[in-house]
Amino acid sequence: MKILFFSLLLFCSCSSDNEVKAELPAHTGKTLVVYYSYTGNCREIVTTLTGQIEADVLEIQPAEKGLKYEANGYALGTELLNSIKANPNDISSYPAIDPVATSIADYQNIIIVTPLWWSQMAAIMQTYLFQSAAQMAGKHVGMIVSSHSSGISGVVSDAKRLLPNVTWMGDALWINASNHANRASLIEDWLKTLNFSNEETSMDKMYITIGEQTQSVTLVDNVATRALVEKLKQRPVTVTLNSSGGFEIWGALGFSLPISNEQMTAEAGDVILYNGSNICLFYGSNSWSYTRLGKIDGLSESELRTFLKAGESNINVRLALDNMTSIRASLTPDPSPTGEGSIYSINGQRVKNPTKGIYVKDGKKIAL
Ligand SMILES: Cc1cc2nc3c(=O)[nH]c(=O)nc-3n(C[C@H](O)[C@H](O)[C@H](O)COP(=O)(O)O)c2cc1C
């Protein structure tokens, strides 16, 4: 009976499943795989996918547990989809999902893995995309759709409606009951067609130095960080910041960056652009309309307070693309008698036969 039902659906479904067009030649940066799975097929797809690429995984869960979407001739699944269809711009039309802590701002690429329900995107995944559309704007997004047999053009349309401002990485991949077992090679081939590489771009790190301490910052990919990186490529920038509000140190950058503001709650460690020309480094939290630049890596809230000199004024902060810690290490005189005149890489490694590039010699940066 079920087979007949899905065979009919397959027969009725449209043929142009792969409408999403590639726009960029290569996709680099951090990747988030976000999925929903009711009967486990999408979960298996995600396991296979994350065996092939490095990615963080986010599972979307319905707020109401134990529901049987397929019971009574798929009555509940149908009801949820009809409610969305009747009022797609109203969040109350979508089934509630569990709160999601993952911040999309930390990722450049997002791969959605979703089941197909009645030739549409499963309602639970629709909720997540509807509520995340603003944060996903500008991201590179790919999609894998799992169905029993129906074609996926309706799911592709749903994705485009829900995420109008993303860059699609390429055509969506359709995995169905007859090729699910073969998913490893399907996914491998699909990733190749996307020209997908999740090696982090060399410019996804910035370094903040305060006093003797340097900390790395993982930058998000947006118009502001791209402009900031261009600025820092010319030379490091030193700014003077002041503590404010019990949650941040902030001050003028001395130049403006393009903004992509969104209402957000900045948390400890966040590096934020405020009003286009001020940088804020957070050791507490505050809600405002900001442009996110990145996050200071690996410091606890109390370590951040110490590093950022919380409560103080006139704090000198150096922003750079190179890591002062390693440069400083290479500026330290070599204890060996042959140290003088030695050449070091920018990472502090002694180099015997330097080729063309930037090095450190006798405490000074040199170009060969
Ligand atoms: C409510 C509901 C509706 C579905 N509608 C269809 C359909 O129209 N066509 C189809 O081929 N499969 C349909 N399926 C099957 C799923 O798309 C398929 O089993 C998929 O692999 C499920 O992924 P999951 O195991 O990760 O939940 C439906 C499943 C459910 C629960």
Side-chain angles (χ1 to χ4, degrees), residues 4 35 64 129 136 169 216 220 235 247 294 308 317 351 356-357:
L4 175 68
Y35 80 99
E64 218 175 324
L129 298 187
M136 285 213 195
M169 282 200 264
S216 63
V220 300
R235 70 186 64 84
F247 51 79
L308 298 175
V317 178
V351 182
K356 216 171 163 203

Side-chain angles (χ1 to χ4, degrees), residues 2 5-6 9-10 36-43 69-70 74 76-78 81 114-120 146-151 175 180:
K2 191 175 169 190
F5 160 77
F6 287 135
L9 285 168
L10 174 66
Y36 165 66
S37 186
Y38 176 50
T39 55
N41 293 335
C42 287
R43 188 169 297 113
Y69 300 109
E70 77 288 18
Y74 294 78
L76 179 54
T78 312
L81 292 167
T114 180
L116 169 150
W117 284 4
W118 287 105
S119 297
Q120 295 154 69
S146 172
S147 76
H148 180 272
S149 53
S150 297
I175 297 180
H180 183 81

